[in-house]
Amino acid sequence: MENTTGKGKNSIRFEDAATLVIGLVLAVFHIYTSFFGALPSYQHRIVHLVMSMMLVPLGAKLFHFKNQKVKLVLQIAIIAILAVVGIYSYSIANDMWKSSGTISNTDLVLGTIFIIMLLVFTWRVVGAAMPIIAILCILYALLGPKLPSGIAHRGYNWSRITELLFKGTNGIFGTPLGVSSIYVSVFVIFAGVLEASGAGDVFIRLTQSLLGGFRGGPAKVAVVASSLFGTISGSAVANVVGTGAFTIPLMKKSGFKPEFAGAVETAASSGGQLMPPVMGAAAFIMADYIGSYQDVLIAAIIPAILFYIALFMMIDLEALKNNLRGQSKEELPNFKEELKNGWFLLLPLVLLVFLLVGVRYSAQKSAFFSIIFLVLIMLLYPGKRKKLHEVIRLIANSSKGMVSVALTTGTAGIIVGILMLTGIGYKLSSLLIAISGGNVFLLLFLTMLTSVILGMGMPTSAAYVLLATLIVPALEQLGVMKIAAHFFVFYFGIMAHVTPP
C-alpha cells in the first residue's frame, strides 16, 4: 500500500522531473558541442560520464526498494555525490599537470568513490562480465609482485591506480569514453529522436507492403526491416524491441516455429550494427583508431549487404521446405499510402548519409544538422506536427540511450588503462603470435574464438575495445591490414549476440 501514498507519488514525480532536466541538459550539451566544438578532453568527458551516471539511479534497474521514501533519499544522495565529484574534477582539470605523479587525500577519496560507483552501475545496467574483468585488472595491478614470473610486474599501490584511473585521460576518461562523448552521444540522440518520431514503424510498414506477400514473407520482412532499422540504431536490443514486437508474432502466425522466428529476429537485429550510417559505439571507436568514420562506413557496406542476403536466402529455403506462404493482399499495407504518410520522416536519414558521404562533413556536424532538420520537421510538418513540450521530452528521453554506452566505455577505460600500465597488453599480443607460430590463419581463428567468448558476456563495444587493444596489434604484426583487423574483431563481437548460450 505504501507505493500509493504521497511519498510514493513524490518519488515518481522526482524521478520524472530529474530525468527530464538531466536528460535535456545532457542532450543539449552534446548537440551544442557537436557543432560549436567540444570542451577540453578531460572536462568534456567528465560532463558526459557524470551526467549519464546521474540517470542510472532514476531508472528501475538500480533500486528495488518498497519503501519509496528510502529510495527517494538514496536517489538524491547519489546524484548529489556525482555532482560533487563532477564539479571537483572539472575544477582541477586545468591544474592537473602541476600535480602529476601525486594525489591528494581529496582526490583519493573522491576517485575511490567514483570508481566503485562506476563499476556498480555498469554491473547493474550492462551486466557482470565487464566489471568483473575490470576488478580482475585492478587486482592484477595491485598484486603484481606476488604473481607467477611470466605475468608478474613491479606492482602498484591504490593511490597510483586511482591517480591513473581518475585523473587525466589514461584511465576512465580515456579514448573509449572520449569517442562516446564526442561521436556516439550525438548519434544516440539522433537515433533516439528519429525512432521515437515513428521512422522505425515507417520502415516496417513499407517493408511489409513490398515483401509480406512472398513465400516466407513475414520472416523476410523481419530481415529487411531490421536492416533498415539498423540504419537509425546501432543497438541490437533496440532493434529487437523496435521490430521484433511486430515481426515475431507475424512469423509465428504464418507458420514459422517460435524458436526459428526468435532466431531470425535476433540474427537480423544483431546485424543492424553492421549497417551504415549509424553503426553503434564500436564503429565510432574503430573510426578513432583508423582515423575516419567515412572509411568505416564505406568498408561496412558490402559486408552488411552480404550478411542480410545470406539471411534472406536461408529464410527462403526454410519457407520452401515447410511450404510457408506469405500474407494475403488484404493483410498487407498499401505501399503508396504508407510512403505518402511517412516519407518525410526518412528525410533526416537521407540528409545524414548525404552529409557524411557526399559532402564529407565530420560525423558530429552531420548528426547536428540531421537532428536540427528532424526537430524542424516534427514541429512544422503540416498534419504531423508535435507540440514543443513533446519534442523537448523526446530529446530528453534520447539521453537514456547514452547511459549504457558511457558506462561501458568508462569501464573499458579502467581495463585499457591497467593493461597499458602493467604492460600485460604487449605480453598477451606477443603470446598470441607465439601460440599461432606466426601463422596468420591460426591467429585469426584464435581471435574469432576470443571475440565470440568475450562478446557473450559484454556489449559489442566493450568486447571490441578489449580486442582492439590486445589482439589487433598482433594481427597487424603478421601483415593483416589495419581496417581488416579491426573489422574482424568487430564482426565476431557482433556475432556473439547470436552464439549460444
Side-chain angles (χ1 to χ4, degrees):
M1 293 296 292
E2 197 168 358
N3 288 340
T4 60
T5 64
K7 295 175 183 177
K9 290 179 181 177
N10 287 339
S11 177
I12 293 169
R13 281 198 294 267
F14 172 76
E15 285 180 11
D16 290 343
T19 300
L20 178 64
V21 172
I22 294 170
L24 184 61
V25 171
L26 183 58
V28 170
F29 168 76
H30 284 299
I31 293 170
Y32 179 85
T33 56
S34 68
F35 182 78
F36 294 99
L39 300 175
S41 297
Y42 184 68
Q43 292 166 315
H44 193 89
R45 296 168 193 182
I46 285 168
V47 174
H48 172 66
L49 181 57
V50 168
M51 293 198 70
S52 296
M53 289 175 68
M54 286 180 177
L55 292 171
V56 177
L58 300 171
K61 292 185 176 181
L62 193 61
F63 298 122
H64 298 287
F65 290 109
K66 292 183 179 179
N67 189 317
Q68 293 297 310
K69 186 176 181 180
V70 173
K71 180 180 176 181
L72 179 61
V73 170
L74 282 172
Q75 287 173 325
I76 295 172
I78 289 173
I79 291 172
I81 291 168
L82 286 169
V84 169
V85 173
I87 293 168
Y88 174 79
S89 302
Y90 193 97
S91 68
I92 66 169
N94 292 328
D95 298 320
M96 278 195 305
W97 62 273
K98 296 178 183 178
S99 59
S100 179
T102 62
I103 184 168
S104 68
N105 289 333
T106 304
D107 294 337
L108 185 61
V109 171
L110 292 181
T112 301
I113 291 171
F114 189 71
I115 291 167
I116 292 171
M117 290 177 76
L118 176 61
L119 292 172
V120 171
F121 285 13
T122 307
W123 192 309
R124 294 293 295 167
V125 174
V126 180
M130 199 170 187
I132 288 173
I133 293 174
I135 292 167
L136 291 175
C137 285
I138 292 171
L139 291 174
Y140 175 71
L142 288 168
L143 304 174
K146 300 178 181 179
L147 298 171
S149 58
I151 57 172
H153 58 88
R154 55 176 281 195
Y156 300 90
N157 59 31
W158 180 246
S159 296
R160 177 70 183 93
I161 293 170
T162 305
E163 184 196 1
L164 169 80
L165 299 182
F166 182 62
K167 295 178 69 178
T169 55
N170 293 317
I172 291 171
F173 303 103
T175 298
L177 186 66
V179 174
S180 171
S181 65
I182 296 291
Y183 301 104
V184 180
S185 53
V186 70
F187 274 84
V188 166
I189 295 166
F190 172 70
V193 178
L194 186 60
E195 183 185 335
S197 71
D201 293 334
V202 173
F203 281 139
I204 293 172
R205 290 193 296 270
L206 288 175
T207 307
Q208 186 187 7
S209 67
L210 290 173
L211 299 173
F214 289 97
R215 179 174 61 209
K220 293 174 180 175
V221 169
V223 170
V224 177
S226 291
S227 70
L228 293 174
F229 198 91
T231 63
I232 64 172
S233 171
S235 166
V237 175
N239 203 321
V240 169
V241 172
T243 62
F246 170 79
T247 58
I248 290 176
L250 211 57
M251 284 188 273
K252 290 163 65 178
K253 184 180 176 182
S254 67
F256 285 102
K257 295 178 181 177
E259 60 270 23
F260 185 84
V264 166
E265 184 57 47
T266 302
S269 295
S270 297
Q273 294 177 87
L274 266 177
M275 183 61 72
V278 182
M279 297 169 59
F284 290 100
I285 297 171
M286 190 194 309
D288 193 70
Y289 281 115
I290 292 168
S292 168
Y293 187 60
Q294 283 84 353
D295 290 343
V296 173
L297 295 185
I298 293 167
I301 290 171
I302 292 177
I305 292 172
L306 290 175
F307 177 87
Y308 281 105
I309 287 175
L311 270 181
F312 201 88
M313 291 172 64
M314 285 186 277
I315 287 165
D316 192 64
L317 292 172
E318 179 73 13
L320 180 63
K321 173 183 166 185
N322 295 292
N323 194 28
L324 300 178
R325 300 180 181 275
Q327 295 174 270
S328 66
K329 191 173 181 179
E330 293 73 25
E331 295 178 294
L332 298 176
N334 182 279
F335 179 81
K336 290 183 179 179
E337 196 65 31
E338 296 299 334
L339 190 61
K340 181 181 176 182
N341 291 333
W343 67 273
F344 59 94
L345 291 175
L346 309 182
L347 292 179
L349 188 62
V350 174
L351 176 65
L352 177 64
V353 175
F354 173 72
L355 293 176
L356 277 170
V357 181
V359 183
R360 294 189 74 84
Y361 270 12
S362 68
Q364 308 98 290
K365 286 190 176 180
S366 299
F368 171 83
F369 285 116
S370 301
I371 290 169
I372 298 300
F373 185 45
L374 174 59
V375 169
L376 290 175
I377 286 174
M378 289 193 293
L379 289 174
L380 302 176
Y381 191 82
K384 302 290 183 179
R385 293 176 184 169
K386 292 184 181 293
K387 295 179 180 178
L388 180 61
H389 70 86
E390 292 176 326
V391 175
I392 289 173
R393 187 168 288 277
L394 286 180
I395 293 171
N397 287 337
S398 70
S399 293
K400 295 177 183 177
M402 289 184 216
V403 174
S404 61
V405 178
L407 293 174
T408 297
T409 50
T411 306
I414 295 176
I415 297 169
V416 173
I418 297 293
L419 291 175
M420 296 300 103
L421 176 69
T422 58
I424 188 65
Y426 304 108
K427 291 180 183 178
L428 288 175
S429 292
S430 301
L431 180 63
L432 282 168
I433 293 173
I435 291 172
S436 66
N439 185 308
V440 67
F441 290 104
L442 180 56
L443 181 56
L444 287 170
F445 180 74
L446 294 172
T447 302
M448 177 191 73
L449 290 179
T450 308
S451 300
V452 170
I453 290 168
L454 283 177
M456 287 178 185
M458 59 179 70
T460 303
S461 54
Y464 169 75
V465 169
L466 202 53
L467 293 165
T469 304
L470 297 177
I471 296 179
V472 167
L475 291 172
E476 289 186 65
Q477 285 184 49
L478 293 184
V480 178
M481 285 179 60
K482 187 172 187 176
I483 193 166
H486 281 278
F487 257 99
F488 190 83
V489 297
F490 174 55
Y491 176 79
F492 283 104
I494 292 173
M495 286 303 97
H497 283 289
V498 294
T499 303

